[in-house]
Amino acid sequence: MIEEPAEVAETLLENQSQWEPPHWRSADGIRINDGRNSHRNPHNAFALPERRLREISNAVNDDVDGISTDEWTPRM
């Protein structure tokens, strides 16, 4: 029996870093996300190679549904 469910829940969720709000920006023409779990964050050890990041960025137009990509945040 768990005596303190809130304490157990806090322990389980601590440092998981899931579902952070995404922060998108451009760096050298590449759209990147600075999330700790993002494959599009070049600072992560598991990030996609720069060539692939550039291919993905080039596939996204400068204008998505009439909204500049500088103002656009993808839906989760």
Side-chain angles (χ1 to χ4, degrees):
M1 178 175 200
I2 297 173
E3 294 180 23
E4 296 293 332
E7 187 176 316
V8 172
E10 183 177 326
T11 301
L12 290 172
L13 294 173
E14 192 173 273
N15 296 320
Q16 285 191 5
S17 68
Q18 294 184 12
W19 301 304
E20 297 174 337
H23 299 101
W24 292 91
R25 63 185 174 90
S26 289
D28 297 322
I30 298 173
R31 298 290 293 168
I32 62 171
N33 178 315
D34 65 2
R36 290 186 283 181
N37 297 318
S38 176
H39 291 278
R40 292 185 59 187
N41 181 348
H43 298 292
N44 288 335
F46 53 86
L48 295 169
E50 182 180 345
R51 178 189 56 77
R52 185 71 178 124
L53 290 172
R54 190 168 301 283
E55 287 174 355
I56 294 167
S57 294
N58 289 339
V60 178
N61 294 331
D62 288 339
D63 188 56
V64 177
D65 294 331
I67 301 170
S68 166
T69 54
D70 291 333
E71 303 168 13
W72 178 67
T73 300
R75 292 190 178 126
M76 293 182 170

